Amino acid sequence: MSGIVVVGDVGLDVVARHEGPIPHGGDIRAKVHFTSGGAGANTALWLRAEDTETTLVARIGDDSGGRMVKSELEAAGVRCEFAVDPEEPTFCVVVLVDGAGERSMLADRAANAKFSPEDVTEAALAGASHLHLSGYVLLYPSSRPAALASLAAAKKAGLTTSVDPQAATLITDPAAFLDDVRGVDLLMPNTSELVALTGSSDPEAAKELLDYVGEVVVTAGLDGASWVDASGTITSVPAQPAECVDSTGAGDAFDAGVLAAWLRGESTVEVLRAGTRLGARAVAKVGPQP
């Protein structure tokens, strides 16, 4: 298997784990961790944890945060093809994690919002066999042209492609989103995103998406994951047991496990198990990365 190119956000996460509801206008105790993050970076690092050659294409600010994130990624073995924005800072997100491990996010996409088609270069795709696109890039109007350009460049170069919709709340026009991903080899929604795209949480509904994409894999948290192949056959596996400490980045880890195993040519069941295995590892620790 040749390498995987990941196109997506990269930046800084401030993760605050708190117990109980946050009082409006008041204070609450929390454990706060500062780490690198962004869906693109998370997936890239989990891919490296699976010994997969990985290139991350993104946009950072010309600041200490961007330099730190790039240094950490390169130290982990990720090849970084980053554009540097001279004006906008590096992406930053505040992640609020409650006692059950569920996360809410306050995101400033900053430099990522200015990700442009020119940031996706031929050099970034060199030596790769697959391109994975984070839906955040596609679902924000300012970076959407870059997302479409990356899919077009991958197709021209003969790469297979995958897209994680990433954010159900941002899918305000399902028909337009599906038109944008038409021809993608693998669509990777979670249950909420499946509902946004089809109106149903049943994996059977994913068959509707086969009019647009080659295959679909749906992750359903504690209910495991399902694969819908080109013929409409559904294969499902249960979730792997794990104590949920922090759900941030669990979907990014799942994506990495699935892609690494799929591109190695493993069976559908083993591909799903690889995804749920990394997802379980991700939720059992604080922070979105291995």
Side-chain angles (χ1 to χ4, degrees), residues 9-276:
D9 290 352
V10 59
L12 305 168
D13 281 3
V14 181
V15 182
R17 295 183 64 225
H18 61 91
E19 299 290 338
I22 299 176
H24 179 68
D27 298 343
I28 188 171
R29 291 186 177 89
K31 290 186 178 295
V32 179
H33 300 263
F34 183 77
T35 180
S36 58
N42 298 342
T43 301
L45 284 169
W46 284 107
L47 282 166
R48 286 300 301 135
E50 293 292 285
D51 293 324
T52 302
E53 292 299 318
T54 307
T55 298
L56 178 59
V57 181
R59 190 176 185 91
I60 58 174
D62 185 13
D63 52 27
S64 58
R67 288 186 286 273
M68 181 195 78
V69 169
K70 183 180 181 183
S71 176
E72 289 185 354
L73 286 160
E74 290 178 336
V78 176
R79 182 165 72 103
C80 296
E81 290 284 340
F82 290 174
V84 179
D85 194 292
E87 299 175 350
E88 294 292 333
T90 297
F91 162 89
C92 185
V93 59
V94 177
V95 185
L96 306 176
V97 183
D98 65 21
E102 188 56 55
R103 97 293 191 271
S104 301
M105 303 175 78
L106 308 174
D108 179 358
R109 297 193 70 240
N112 285 318
K114 293 175 66 177
F115 191 62
S116 71
E118 291 73 26
D119 297 339
V120 186
T121 64
E122 289 185 11
L125 303 184
S129 62
H130 183 84
L131 181 139
H132 176 69
L133 173 67
S134 165
Y136 286 121
V137 182
L138 185 60
L139 288 168
Y140 278 87
S142 60
S143 56
R144 176 174 171 269
L148 296 176
S150 68
L151 292 175
K155 182 177 181 180
K156 182 179 179 181
L159 278 61
T160 53
T161 54
S162 56
V163 175
D164 182 335
Q166 215 78 65
T169 55
L170 298 179
I171 304 175
T172 56
D173 189 341
F177 176 86
L178 290 173
D179 193 52
D180 282 348
V181 301
R182 188 183 296 275
V184 163
D185 296 283
L186 182 62
L187 189 64
M188 312 179 76
N190 64 22
T191 298
S192 296
E193 292 149 10
L194 181 64
V195 171
L197 292 171
T198 69
S200 173
S201 61
D202 191 331
E204 285 280 343
K207 293 179 181 179
E208 300 174 20
L209 305 178
L210 297 178
D211 291 337
Y212 301 89
V213 300
E215 298 181 279
V216 183
V217 59
V218 182
T219 178
L222 295 176
D223 292 325
S226 298
W227 186 285
V228 184
D229 68 19
S231 70
T233 301
I234 297 177
T235 304
S236 299
V237 302
Q240 297 199 16
E243 179 186 0
C244 185
V245 175
D246 178 3
S247 63
T248 311
D252 304 327
F254 174 86
D255 289 353
V258 164
L259 292 174
W262 182 49
L263 294 169
R264 286 194 299 264
E266 297 184 12
S267 70
T268 301
V269 169
E270 290 306 314
V271 167
L272 291 171
R273 285 175 177 165
T276 57

